[in-house]
Every structure is written in C-alpha cells, then in structure tokens.
C-alpha cells in the first residue's frame, strides 16, 4: 500500500459516515489494541462488539491492516458470533432475529474471510467484493485479486 495516497471518493464518504457516529464512539479499549490483538479478534473472537472494535481500529490503522485482511479473504475458517441481537447476517441467523428490526450485515462475519471483507468494505466504502454465506472459494480468490488491484490503483500524492 502506498504510504501516502489520495483516498477515492467512496473511501472519503465512508470516513464521513464514520465521523457522523455510524461506528462505535471513541472507546478507551481502542487505545490498548495493537495489530496482533486485532488479528486475534478477526481470527477467533466470537463477540460482535469486539469485532466492531477491530473494525474501528483498522479504520485508523489501515496501512497495517490492509495486506493482512486481503490475505484473509480466502480463509474460510468458521469462527461464529455471539452478542448479535438485532443484527442479521443473511444465511446465518435469520431464526434468531428479534422482531424483524435492526441491522443487516451482508458479509458472512461468521468466517474469517467474511470478517476481512467486511472490514475492508467498511473502511473504503466499497462493495465490489462481498463475502456472503457459501461464497465459492474461486470467487474468494478473485476477491483477493480485486483488492490487490484496488490497492495498486491508489493514486499516490
């Protein structure tokens, strides 16, 4: 990833949404996190709130996270999810969705590839590669290539 680059328009819009509070409010726990902790969360943490913390940390530290998250796009290891009341992941937890209201995450955040894709898309505002439940492995490899191409196409300042 280039050290300095011009963020594409969708990325700037995602930054704007984040600043309006669509993401977690400043959390002191973010100050105690590092790359190893974030990768551990992506790899094995089942608590949705922790995954959201990892996403928020990655937003501020994308230079460190991008290569690792892109690499995880083909990792279909199942992790699972807890504390997801009022959040639906199509194909995973529809039966437990309370009263049909709340949020929807189209990414399969029950698996590592879906979590990586979710974080990349949340940071950049992109949606050209969405890891859904039962996404074919060959498609995941194409997503990895597409994200690598995206990074290579970033315009240096």
């Amino acid at each position: 990833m280039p050290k300095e680059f011009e963020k594409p328009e969708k990325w700037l819009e995602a930054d704007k949404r984040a600043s309006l509070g669509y993401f977690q409010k400043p959390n002191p726990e973010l100050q105690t996190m590092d790359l190893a902790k974030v990768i551990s969360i992506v790899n094995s943490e089942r608590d949705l709130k922790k995954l959201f913390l990892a996403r928020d940390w990655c937003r501020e530290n994308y230079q460190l996270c991008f290569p690792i998250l892109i690499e995880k796009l083909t990792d279909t290891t199942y992790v699972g999810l807890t504390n997801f009341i009022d959040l639906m992941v199509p194909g995973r937890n529809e039966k437990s969705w309370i009263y049909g209201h709340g949020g929807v995450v189209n990414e399969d955040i029950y698996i590592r590839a879906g979590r990586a894709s979710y974080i990349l898309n949340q940071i950049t505002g992109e949606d050209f590669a969405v890891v859904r439940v039962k996404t074919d492995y060959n498609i995941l490899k194409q997503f990895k290539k597409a994200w690598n191409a995206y990074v290579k196409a970033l315009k240096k300042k």
Side-chain angles (χ1 to χ4, degrees), residues 50-101:
K50 298 283 188 186
L51 182 59
F52 284 170
L53 279 173
R55 173 204 60 198
D56 294 348
W57 191 89
C58 288
R59 174 174 292 289
E60 299 301 319
N61 298 281
Y62 56 84
Q63 294 280 6
L64 297 172
C65 299
F66 253 70
I68 296 167
L69 293 172
I70 290 171
E71 191 58 36
K72 290 200 171 297
L73 289 171
T74 52
D75 185 346
T76 60
T77 304
Y78 181 86
V79 179
L81 198 63
T82 60
N83 295 330
F84 57 80
I85 289 185
D86 282 352
L87 180 74
M88 187 177 76
V89 176
R92 287 286 183 195
N93 64 351
E94 289 93 343
K95 292 177 183 173
S96 62
W97 205 31
I98 308 287
Y99 305 115
H101 70 302

Side-chain angles (χ1 to χ4, degrees), residues 21-39:
Y22 292 111
F23 295 86
Q24 288 190 15
K25 300 295 181 206
N27 186 320
E29 194 171 349
L30 285 174
Q31 304 305 316
T32 66
M33 295 176 74
D34 60 13
L35 183 60
K37 176 68 175 170
V38 168
I39 298 311

